[in-house]
Each structure stands twice: as C-alpha cells, then as structure tokens.
Amino acid sequence: MGESSICQVRATVMLYDESTKRWVPAGSDSPALSRVHIYHSSSAHTFRVVGRKLQADQQVVINCPILKGMKYNQATANFHQWRDPKQVWGLNFSSKEDGAAFAKAMLYALDAL
Ligand SMILES: CC(=O)N[C@@H](Cc1ccccc1Cl)C(=O)N1CCC[C@]12C=C[C@@H]1CC[C@@H](C(=O)N[C@@H]3C(=O)N4[C@@H](C=C[C@H]3C)CC[C@H]4C(=O)O)N1C2=O
C-alpha cells in the first residue's frame, strides 16, 4: 500500500544555516511557497514531511522522516521548527490556520509512532 497524505498546507520551507546563523530557503533560489504534506505509510508505519514548490518546477524542497521522540516547536503561530539529525527545519506558514492544521497532523504522527 502506498502513502496517503494526512494534511497539506502552504508554507515557505526554510533551513537554519548554523555557520551564518541565518535561515535560508530550502531548495534553490528565492524563498517561494511550497505545498507541504505529511505522508503516512500504513504498511511501514512511518510518516514523513514532503514539500514541493508551488511553481511550475515542483522542486522537492523537503523530504524528511518524522522520527519518534522528535521535538516539534511551534515558535509562533506562523513559524514552526524541528531538528533532524543533520539540520533544523522551519516552516513559515501562509496562514495561522495552515500552521494549526500542520501542527495537529504532526502531533498525531508523533503520537502514533
Ligand atoms: C534548543 C533548540 O534547538 N532550540 C531551537 C528551537 C527548537 C526548540 C525546541 C525543539 C526544536 C527546535 Cl528547532 C532554536 O532556538 N533554534 C533552532 C535554530 C535557530 C534557533 C536558534 C537561535 C535563533 C534565535 C532566534 C530564533 C529564530 O530563528 N526565530 C525565528 C526567526 O528568527 N525567523 C523565522 C521566524 C520566526 C522566528 C521564531 C523566519 C526567519 C527568521 C526571521 O524572523 O527573520 N532561533 C532559533 O529558532
């Protein structure tokens, strides 16, 4: 069985550059909105965050497993962040509602792992 999307929101996907202490847009060029999903694989009992640019190229800008015990930080209503083993991800949501929907799905996933 494939993966099913348990939520989709619009956000700018960002990465924290530890060397410069700056947030940089994930993927190439300028910050742009992406459609960000949380996919659930029921057969593998896994969840992951996948985001693709809304622009024509549909570039994948995030493909990040949701790991058991991961800390999800809702820094503000519009900006949430988490650490993976290598880097820190940030999502700048297009609306507070999108932020709330994503957080609900993320907390559901973390609770289900
Ligand atoms: C223990 C731990 O890991 N703590 C992490 C957070 C964390 C806690 C618990 C679990 C996981 C994680 Cl991830 C931590 O504090 N981290 C993770 C890396 C970066 C940061 C460290 C320092 C800076 C200081 C300012 C702050 C920040 O970036 N705030 C945002 C901000 O400046 N911006 C972004 C939007 C809004 C703001 C909210 C959009 C662009 C830019 C801007 O507004 O222009 N920081 C952090 O969040």
Side-chain angles (χ1 to χ4, degrees):
M1 169 116 157
E3 294 180 277
S4 54
S5 171
I6 65 168
C7 94
Q8 60 172 302
V9 297
R10 289 193 304 174
T12 299
V13 183
M14 307 185 86
L15 283 162
Y16 190 70
D17 181 334
E18 303 285 354
S19 58
T20 63
K21 302 277 178 247
R22 303 285 303 263
W23 288 96
V24 295
S28 54
D29 58 69
S30 63
L33 274 180
S34 294
R35 182 168 306 293
V36 183
H37 292 261
I38 292 179
Y39 285 112
H40 178 217
S41 161
S42 47
S43 51
H45 305 292
T46 57
F47 297 86
R48 62 185 173 129
V49 179
V50 179
R52 297 178 191 83
K53 286 273 178 76
L54 287 177
Q55 288 157 355
D57 63 354
Q58 301 271 320
Q59 181 194 23
V60 175
V61 293
I62 181 171
N63 179 3
C64 173
I66 297 174
L67 301 179
K68 186 174 176 55
M70 195 178 84
K71 298 271 177 300
Y72 183 70
N73 187 47
Q74 301 180 49
T76 69
N78 282 62
F79 187 81
H80 301 176
Q81 58 194 159
W82 69 92
R83 294 184 297 268
D84 82 9
K86 290 197 301 289
Q87 53 210 349
V88 182
W89 294 99
L91 295 180
N92 222 346
F93 298 99
S94 57
S95 72
K96 290 178 175 46
E97 291 74 20
D98 272 9
F102 191 86
K104 186 164 177 254
M106 173 64 82
L107 296 177
Y108 168 82
L110 288 167
D111 186 55
L113 286 170

